[in-house]
């Protein structure tokens, strides 16, 4: 898959290219899937003539419960110096919802200015999709989600909290600069994918008459610089409808943070579920973070039944971003050889254990 701008750190120019990757295995099944991802990426590195130098950080719910600190600033400082970050999952049943998401995941996205959330929606061979009469030839598009603004910016507040007159405000922040850099990235990526070279803007211009007016104008202006890319527009509700009815219409979709969050869960389902869905939080000029998008799945922890393919695919995206596109593609090709052999992508139903699936991908790489 093509993940857009690549980054080639200084180390990549020396004899044995070595990449410093910060690993956050995280909570629940995170460590189990990351273990398989590292196994596969080490194999891909050996084959590609480079090395990955892994540095693990025990960030997550367990540490938060022990220390009361979600993301120590010393760790954040080290993350800034890594070539990339490889994240398992964040989320702990004993921690109130929001604390770890805000304190770790969103904090890293914002502090490192990872302004693109890239989510490929691709149905691999032999994978079951809930969409009737649709196959891999119909489901292959990529969502470019803005990742630092919109409703996620944390702008808002309460008035008269806890009273019957309570008011809660949550404001969507859309800056021309933030929107435009996201749209520009999406145009570049659509061009580079070279598929049907069509970029669809997903918004809600009929209701969000300020925020998405800005998006629409920025989109149209940037489009003029890409005469070879066809453009399209869909309201977000219709987008959900078309993703189910005619997913083959899409090549690349660009959208805001909240809508991107929602449509990519739908995307994950049509590509076979959370077992395979990967994402990258990109700062094309800085440090990017790659993750399976499924969450920590605590009920499967330690059972060896969770599907590691999403983490492995996220690792493939990471290699591409690090400047090893061939190795990144090799990982994806290997995954595509393994998917037809699994009974299902769902946890506990694969017909193989977590580590056996990792082994199958390593074998397929050879
Ligand atoms: C995702 C997740 C996060 C998001 C949550 C955990 C804050 O759902 O990566 O899509 O909403 O961005
Ligand atoms: Mn989400």
């Amino acid at each position: 898959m093509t993940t857009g701008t690549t980054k080639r750190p200084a180390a990549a120019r020396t004899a044995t290219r070595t990449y410093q990757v910060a690993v956050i295995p995280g909570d629940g099944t995170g460590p189990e899937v990351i273990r398989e991802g590292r196994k596969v990426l080490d194999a891909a590195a050996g084959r590609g003539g480079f090395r990955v130098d892994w540095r693990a950080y025990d960030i997550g719910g367990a540490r938060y419960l022990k220390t009361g600190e979600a993301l120590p600033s010393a760790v954040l400082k080290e993350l800034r110096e890594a070539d990339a970050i490889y994240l398992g999952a964040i989320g702990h049943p004993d921690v109130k919802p929001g604390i770890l998401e805000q304190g770790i995941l969103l904090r890293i996205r914002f502090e490192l200015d990872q302004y693109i959330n890239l989510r490929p929606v691709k149905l691999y061979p032999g994978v079951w999709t809930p969409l009737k009469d649709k196959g891999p030839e119909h489901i292959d598009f990529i969502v470019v989600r803005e990742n630092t603004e919109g409703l996620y910016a944390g702008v808002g507040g309460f008035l008269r909290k806890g009273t019957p007159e309570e008011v809660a405000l949550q404001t969507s922040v859309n800056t021309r600069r933030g929107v435009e850099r996201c749209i520009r990235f999406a145009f570049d990526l659509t061009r580079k994918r070279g598929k049907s070279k069509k970029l669809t803007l997903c918004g809600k211009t009929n209701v969000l008459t300020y925020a998405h007016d800005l998006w629409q104008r920025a989109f149209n202006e940037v489009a003029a610089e890409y005469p070879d890319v066809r453009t399209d527009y869909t309201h977000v509700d219709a987008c959900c409808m078309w993703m189910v009815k005619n997913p083959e219409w899409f090549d690349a979709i660009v959208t805001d943070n909240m809508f991107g969050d929602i449509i990519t869960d739908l995307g994950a389902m049509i590509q076979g579920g959370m077992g395979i869905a990967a994402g990258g939080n990109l700062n094309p000029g800085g440090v990017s973070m790659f993750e399976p998008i499924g969450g920590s799945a605590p009920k499967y922890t330690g059972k060896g039944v969770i599907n590691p393919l999403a983490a492995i695919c996220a690792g493939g995206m990471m290699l591409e971003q690090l400047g090893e596109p061939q190795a990144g593609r090799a990982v994806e090709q290997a995954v595509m050889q393994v998917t037809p052999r699994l009974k299902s992508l769902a946890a506990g139903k694969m017909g193989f254990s977590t580590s056996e699936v990792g082994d199958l991908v390593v074998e397929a790489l050879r």
Side-chain angles (χ1 to χ4, degrees):
M1 71 192 62
T2 299
T3 57
T5 327
T6 54
K7 184 189 165 206
R8 188 179 287 276
R13 291 188 293 270
T14 62
T16 306
R17 305 184 302 285
T18 303
Y19 302 100
Q20 308 288 335
V21 174
V23 192
I24 305 176
D27 299 313
T29 51
E32 292 166 61
V33 297
I34 286 295
R35 193 176 307 131
E36 300 313 309
R38 285 178 56 167
K39 185 163 73 184
V40 169
L41 296 196
D42 282 336
R47 197 171 163 273
F50 61 94
R51 282 191 46 223
V52 181
D53 186 359
W54 305 99
R55 196 157 304 170
Y57 295 89
D58 74 329
I59 298 302
R63 175 170 176 155
Y64 172 77
L65 289 170
K66 235 182 347 196
T67 67
E69 209 177 7
L71 181 62
S73 48
V75 172
L76 186 61
K77 188 164 169 277
E78 292 194 29
L79 295 181
R80 285 183 199 285
E81 280 149 24
D83 290 324
I85 304 167
Y86 194 35
L87 172 71
I90 295 291
H92 195 290
D94 301 338
V95 181
K96 200 177 132 218
I99 293 181
L100 300 173
E101 292 88 334
Q102 300 251 338
I104 301 176
L105 189 63
L106 298 182
R107 180 131 185 261
I108 294 174
R109 287 178 184 173
F110 291 175
E111 294 263 4
L112 272 52
D113 201 21
Q114 296 166 339
Y115 61 90
I116 300 294
N117 193 319
L118 195 61
R119 299 197 166 171
V121 178
K122 184 166 172 178
L123 184 65
Y124 288 140
V127 174
W128 180 83
T129 174
L131 302 188
K132 193 166 182 292
D133 301 330
K134 299 291 179 189
E137 68 275 29
H138 303 108
I139 303 173
D140 180 10
F141 59 93
I142 191 155
V143 178
V144 178
R145 164 186 173 191
E146 200 290 324
N147 209 32
T148 54
E149 300 191 342
L151 282 167
Y152 280 67
V155 172
F158 295 108
L159 198 62
R160 301 187 282 269
K161 189 175 178 186
T163 73
E165 287 77 37
E166 176 166 351
V167 180
L169 298 175
Q170 191 107 31
T171 303
S172 177
V173 174
N174 299 263
T175 69
R176 173 68 197 218
R177 175 177 168 270
V179 169
E180 189 173 319
R181 67 181 178 174
C182 173
I183 287 173
R184 202 170 285 284
F185 179 93
F187 272 100
D188 282 333
L189 178 66
T190 308
R191 178 180 272 172
K192 215 173 134 188
R193 265 169 73 79
K195 209 188 151 212
S196 63
K197 286 215 197 171
K198 181 171 114 179
L199 178 62
T200 303
L201 172 64
C202 164
K204 189 75 184 175
T205 52
N206 53 348
V207 175
L208 304 181
T209 49
Y210 308 117
H212 286 182
D213 186 72
L214 186 157
W215 272 83
Q216 180 96 69
R217 280 182 285 115
F219 185 78
N220 292 343
E221 283 167 35
V222 175
E225 298 170 32
Y226 295 81
D228 54 320
V229 176
R230 287 185 297 139
T231 57
D232 199 0
Y233 172 82
T234 174
H235 293 319
V236 63
D237 46 353
C239 186
C240 294
M241 183 175 84
W242 299 127
M243 278 173 67
V244 170
K245 192 168 181 295
N246 298 104
E248 64 277 8
W249 285 0
F250 296 111
D251 175 8
I253 300 176
V254 63
T255 191
D256 77 7
N257 208 342
M258 186 80 258
F259 290 173
D261 178 48
I262 297 166
I263 69 169
T264 54
D265 265 26
L266 177 56
M269 285 303 119
I270 68 172
Q271 73 181 121
M274 289 303 182
I276 194 81
N281 301 272
L282 310 185
N283 176 341
V287 184
S288 301
M289 173 167 69
F290 298 83
E291 52 173 341
I293 74 173
S296 60
K299 70 174 176 182
Y300 297 117
T301 305
K303 298 197 160 74
V305 297
I306 196 79
N307 188 341
L309 288 180
I312 292 169
C313 289
M317 292 174 74
M318 178 167 76
L319 293 184
E320 201 162 315
Q321 182 77 12
L322 283 169
E324 300 290 346
Q326 267 191 329
R329 275 194 298 274
V331 169
E332 190 188 22
Q333 293 296 325
V335 167
M336 289 169 76
Q337 286 178 53
V338 170
T339 49
R341 301 183 55 186
L342 305 188
K343 279 202 211 113
S344 155
L345 294 188
K349 298 185 179 146
M350 300 186 290
F352 295 93
S353 71
T354 303
S355 68
E356 283 169 346
V357 173
D359 292 341
L360 287 175
V361 180
V362 171
E363 248 170 63
L365 264 176
R366 294 213 175 100

